[in-house]
Amino acid sequence: LFQDALEDATAKAAVLPRFIALPLVLWPVMRMRKSLENKLISETLLSPDKPWPIAFNKQNLDANTAATLVLGLLFAAHKNPAIAAANAFLFLKDSARALNDNLFLEAGILETLRLTAHSIGAVRECRVDSVRIGKDLVLRKGDCLAMAHAAICTDKEIWGQDAHLFKPERWFVQNNGSIMIDEKNPVIYNVFSNGIHRCPGRRIALDMIKQATHTLLDLYCQGRLQLPEQIPDLSFERATLAQRAAPIVLRLIPTTLKS
């Protein structure tokens, strides 16, 4: 509930006047967050025998700082991977190859992340002598760039005229006769941000997304997971990866136990 409230507040506060956004949108979420942090402190972070408190104690972090960190980690480590896995499943559900070809599954997930990248931008300072973005933009050391991840990840000058299409094959490259995943320049593939702010847990997140997506595909191919006939379009209104414009109700069919 807190994660949904935070996303909603972020989207509303971006367009509302400050005198409205603060008391009616942001401060209520701040109070909700503080209440949740206090609950984390009382129920978890003061227990000396649990993994996270042990790790925080080694770093000499006080309980309040630890609670703030935990809440942020839960948001990044749970919400976005779950959204990514759900979208990857929807993109790949009609491809039997994704279930049996690990490389294709990985490419499909990277392509899903590209097409659902955050619409909210980031401000970054160029730390190298120069870097080219697209055909015309060259940044010099010290320049600042405000960017929307979704805009760069679907730029036709960077990704081609089919940038809006889901094509996992665009990630394949030949290397000594073998097919490999192309490690795209993080400046143009900035789903996990870039520079010193690049997500340190991106490899773990990709593994989580891959496992969850494979599980959903497996259930779907077995006929145990049913989808509605109409799948809502992508919506970029939230402060996360793009979500669907409306909830999707899945029907899970239990297995029949044999005596």
Side-chain angles (χ1 to χ4, degrees), residues 170-200:
R170 75 172 78 243
W171 291 87
F172 293 151
V173 292
Q174 287 274 356
N175 186 9
N176 296 326
S178 300
I179 301 294
M180 299 181 64
I181 293 293
D182 185 11
E183 292 286 340
K184 302 292 186 184
N185 184 334
V187 174
I188 64 170
Y189 186 69
N190 57 8
V191 171
F192 293 100
S193 196
N194 43 41
I196 61 174
H197 298 283
R198 195 176 189 198
C199 175

Side-chain angles (χ1 to χ4, degrees), residues 93-214:
K93 62 183 175 61
D94 296 322
S95 171
R97 182 180 176 185
L99 193 59
N100 303 306
D101 185 337
N102 185 61
L103 207 62
F104 187 81
L105 175 60
E106 183 177 345
I109 289 170
L110 292 172
E111 185 73 344
T112 296
L113 292 172
R114 182 184 72 82
L115 290 174
T116 59
H118 296 68
S119 58
I120 292 181
V123 178
R124 296 290 182 263
E125 179 182 347
C126 182
R127 298 290 185 91
V128 296
D129 290 337
S130 66
V131 62
R132 178 179 294 277
I133 300 178
K135 185 173 64 175
D136 301 319
L137 180 60
V138 176
L139 297 179
R140 306 297 180 187
K141 190 172 184 178
D143 289 346
C144 286
L145 174 69
M147 58 187 180
H149 300 306
I152 294 177
C153 284
T154 54
D155 190 333
K156 291 182 179 180
E157 290 187 3
I158 297 173
W159 299 93
Q161 293 303 307
D162 59 357
H164 63 292
L165 298 178
F166 178 77
K167 292 182 62 177
E169 295 84 359
R170 75 172 78 243
W171 291 87
F172 293 151
V173 292
Q174 287 274 356
N175 186 9
N176 296 326
S178 300
I179 301 294
M180 299 181 64
I181 293 293
D182 185 11
E183 292 286 340
K184 302 292 186 184
N185 184 334
V187 174
I188 64 170
Y189 186 69
N190 57 8
V191 171
F192 293 100
S193 196
N194 43 41
I196 61 174
H197 298 283
R198 195 176 189 198
C199 175
R202 59 189 178 278
R203 295 294 181 187
I204 298 175
L206 284 171
D207 284 343
M208 293 169 59
I209 297 166
K210 185 185 295 185
Q211 292 177 30
T213 303
H214 189 276

Side-chain angles (χ1 to χ4, degrees), residues 18-51:
R18 178 185 173 88
F19 71 91
I20 294 177
L22 283 174
L24 298 184
V25 178
L26 295 177
W27 288 345
V29 174
M30 181 180 67
R31 289 191 291 269
M32 185 186 298
R33 178 184 183 119
K34 190 60 182 176
S35 175
L36 189 53
E37 287 178 355
N38 290 335
K39 186 176 181 180
L40 280 171
I41 291 172
S42 63
E43 295 182 3
T44 303
L45 296 179
L46 295 182
S47 303
D49 58 335
K50 294 188 177 181

